[in-house]
Amino acid sequence: MIETKMFDLTGKTALITGGATGIGRAIAAGMMEHGARVLIGSRRNEQIQRTVEELNDQIGIECAMGTQLDVTSEQSVENAVSLVIEKFGRLDILINAAGIQLRKPLIELTPDEFNYMFDVHVTGSLRCAQVAAKAFIAQRSGCIINLASLTAFADNIEVGAYAAAKCAVVGLTRSCANEWAKHGIRTNAIAPGVVVTDLNRKNIVNNDRGRRILERTPAARFGKPEEIAGAAIYLASDVAAFVNGETMVVDGGFLACGFGDSFASWK
């Protein structure tokens, strides 16, 4: 077996918003497996503690901590960044994975619902990035990874607020990358395809909506959270030192399929 340290995160510390469940949890686990220490932030304290205990047991060493974190609150974000620096001595990686979903026809969507979606996904990512960037600028290094979505590139009906917010995340990613590169900060995004989590399971598993997605996915299956974690590990590692301002799509070939004949008829 060939051993490599290309994706080694030993000595690095990550703050992961939305890290107690779903894709955020998978990213936390993956980064711990590659040597990083992580602070898991989420709004639900009980879920945080459960996840921290499970991940520490899984890895076999105490390299995860948890804290209550609401990305819509600047004070909450500042407290989380202060805590990770206090406990681990530094912050190297910020993963903006906190998110919510809302399926609702556009004609029924209220301005408050639309604005709250932006507050969590876009302004929340900005809040976290701004606070983390202050630490990154001081140490002349840092990595920010935002969670975008396939809906930033291809629409999915009745998720207009979510899609609009994720389009904005892609734009925010480019702006952060452009402005902060001079400080040694890299900012990239990951746009997951359809990945089954507790948040979306009822909307896509064993129904016509899910069937239609699978028909246009050459991989002929939904994604797994750990497959998104792999992209995050790559972007956070030194091997991606020249990658900045990019949005990496991880979708099983959905966008490549488009309206061609390469649909998954074999599913």
Side-chain angles (χ1 to χ4, degrees):
M1 182 178 70
I2 299 175
E3 294 186 0
T4 176
K5 293 186 177 180
M6 291 178 66
F7 304 104
D8 187 14
L9 300 177
T10 300
K12 295 185 181 295
T13 298
L15 169 61
I16 304 175
T17 76
T21 58
I23 290 174
R25 186 187 191 282
I27 291 174
M31 291 200 163
M32 290 169 65
E33 289 170 355
H34 285 75
R37 298 166 297 176
V38 303
L39 178 65
I40 293 170
S42 181
R43 288 181 296 182
R44 293 173 291 174
N45 191 56
E46 183 178 323
Q47 182 65 62
I48 296 167
Q49 298 309 315
R50 184 183 309 118
T51 297
V52 167
E53 291 175 6
E54 290 173 353
L55 292 183
N56 281 332
D57 287 344
Q58 177 181 323
I59 304 302
I61 56 175
E62 298 285 325
C63 54
M65 292 180 55
T67 186
Q68 281 191 301
L69 172 59
D70 179 358
V71 299
T72 67
S73 164
E74 185 173 350
Q75 186 62 59
S76 181
V77 172
E78 289 178 350
N79 290 344
V81 172
S82 295
L83 178 62
V84 72
I85 294 173
E86 175 190 341
K87 296 297 184 181
F88 293 133
R90 59 185 292 119
L91 175 63
D92 302 284
I93 304 161
L94 168 66
I95 309 291
N96 281 316
I100 57 173
Q101 288 192 345
L102 174 66
R103 183 180 178 187
K104 193 172 187 180
L106 283 175
I107 198 70
E108 299 174 8
L109 191 67
T110 69
D112 284 345
E113 290 170 333
F114 188 86
N115 291 338
Y116 185 62
M117 187 69 68
F118 265 69
D119 199 14
V120 172
H121 289 274
V122 189
T123 314
S125 294
L126 175 62
R127 286 188 190 96
C128 295
Q130 286 175 323
V131 177
K134 294 175 183 177
F136 293 158
I137 289 170
Q139 66 195 25
R140 299 292 303 170
S141 66
C143 172
I144 300 170
I145 302 174
N146 297 320
L147 264 291
S149 167
L150 193 63
T151 59
F153 305 98
D155 188 51
N156 193 358
I157 195 168
E158 295 184 348
V159 291
Y162 180 83
K166 291 303 188 181
C167 285
V169 167
V170 172
L172 176 64
T173 298
R174 294 194 190 103
S175 294
C176 292
N178 189 33
E179 289 194 26
W180 294 342
K182 63 185 178 184
H183 300 296
I185 303 171
R186 294 187 300 110
T187 308
N188 293 288
I190 301 171
V194 182
V195 175
V196 178
T197 67
D198 290 341
L199 198 62
N200 66 7
R201 189 182 308 275
K202 67 179 181 180
N203 292 328
I204 60 173
V205 175
N206 297 324
N207 57 38
D208 284 342
R209 188 184 186 89
R211 175 187 58 77
R212 289 192 296 272
I213 292 169
L214 291 175
E215 285 177 350
R216 289 294 172 186
T217 304
R221 64 174 177 84
F222 298 122
K224 303 173 184 176
E226 55 267 29
E227 292 169 324
I228 309 306
I233 292 162
Y234 163 71
L235 290 172
S237 69
D238 291 340
V239 76
F242 202 53
V243 181
N244 194 28
E246 295 298 320
T247 297
M248 179 183 294
V249 178
V250 185
D251 70 348
F254 185 94
L255 288 183
C257 178
F259 293 101
D261 292 329
S262 184
F263 63 92
S265 57
W266 55 88
K267 174 63 178 173

